[in-house]
Structure formats: C-alpha cells, structure tokens
Amino acid sequence: MPATHRIDNESKVLITAWEGHAEDTELVEVVKKYQDDIQLSPEYIDYNEVADFRTVESIKVTPTGLKQVGEMGKIADKFKPESKLAIVVSSNIAFNIARMYASLRNAMNNNKEIRIFKDFDAAFEWASLKD
C-alpha cells in the first residue's frame, strides 16, 4: 500500500494519498513511518491531516488492524494539540471502514476530530479551517 505525502504549509495541512491494496500489516507499517518521519516532527505538530483513500483498489483491513492503527494514532496525538483528520473515500466499503475507525478513535477519548468525506476539496477545506 504505497502512500505519498504532501505538506501544505500555507493551510497547515498534511495530506496523505493512499493507493493500491489496503491490508493490516502494510497499513500499520506505513502509518508508523509517517508518524516518525512527518506527523510528529516539531514543525508540523499543529497541522491538521487529510487521508485520501479514493484510489485504494481493495481493502482487507480487519478490526484488529483498525484497532492497532487507532492505538498508534492515540499515542501520537498525546504529543499534539487538538487537531482534525479528514478521511476521503470513494466507495461504500471504504466509508464504512472509515466510520468504524472514527468510532474507535472517539471511544479512545482522543483529541482529534475525525470526519469522513467523499469530496477531496470539501475535506481539505474543513481541515484547513482553524477553530
């Protein structure tokens, strides 16, 4: 599952575009590398995020995998102020998995507001707004 990252310094948004096949092991590895290399860097600590899954071809993510990614996110968010994560999807399956992830993260009492979108521009606009 390749992921490419783009940093919009003007809007203070980290954008990750995912493609290919989404599977537990690879998803966890890519998220860990993203956190280490970008998300937890002091210069991006107050940036919001957009995760774009519109070009993912197949999804084989288990509840265990979602929970593992959620735990990683919760730990990383301890070092950040309140933030936003916009998840962009194009299929009903991806939408339902994103909803499960958002519910899981909300149950963890995190400091990240998560919303799911089917339109990238709307997601980016929401993530760009500072409260």
Side-chain angles (χ1 to χ4, degrees), residues 74 77-78 80-83 105 109-113:
K74 179 183 176 185
D77 287 346
K78 285 182 182 180
K80 296 179 61 139
E82 289 188 12
S83 62
R105 288 295 303 274
N109 296 318
N110 65 10
N111 61 342
K112 181 169 282 184
E113 183 179 359

Side-chain angles (χ1 to χ4, degrees), residues 57-109:
E57 296 170 18
S58 68
I59 301 172
K60 294 179 183 172
V61 178
T62 66
T64 302
L66 281 180
K67 185 175 181 185
Q68 190 172 3
V69 171
E71 289 290 339
M72 291 168 59
K74 179 183 176 185
I75 291 167
D77 287 346
K78 285 182 182 180
F79 303 101
K80 296 179 61 139
E82 289 188 12
S83 62
K84 297 177 181 179
L85 168 61
I87 302 173
V88 187
V89 298
S90 60
S91 71
N92 290 335
I93 292 171
F95 181 84
N96 289 330
I97 291 172
R99 255 185 18 183
M100 287 190 310
Y101 178 75
S103 295
L104 176 69
R105 288 295 303 274
N106 289 335
M108 294 178 177
N109 296 318

Side-chain angles (χ1 to χ4, degrees), residues 17-46:
W18 302 84
E19 58 186 40
H21 306 281
E23 296 179 8
D24 286 348
T25 304
E26 199 171 21
L27 179 63
V28 168
E29 290 171 4
V30 171
V31 169
K32 174 75 172 122
K33 183 165 176 36
Y34 163 72
Q35 287 177 334
D36 291 344
D37 294 350
I38 299 171
Q39 183 188 29
L40 295 178
S41 174
E43 62 193 295
Y44 307 124
I45 207 74
D46 61 343

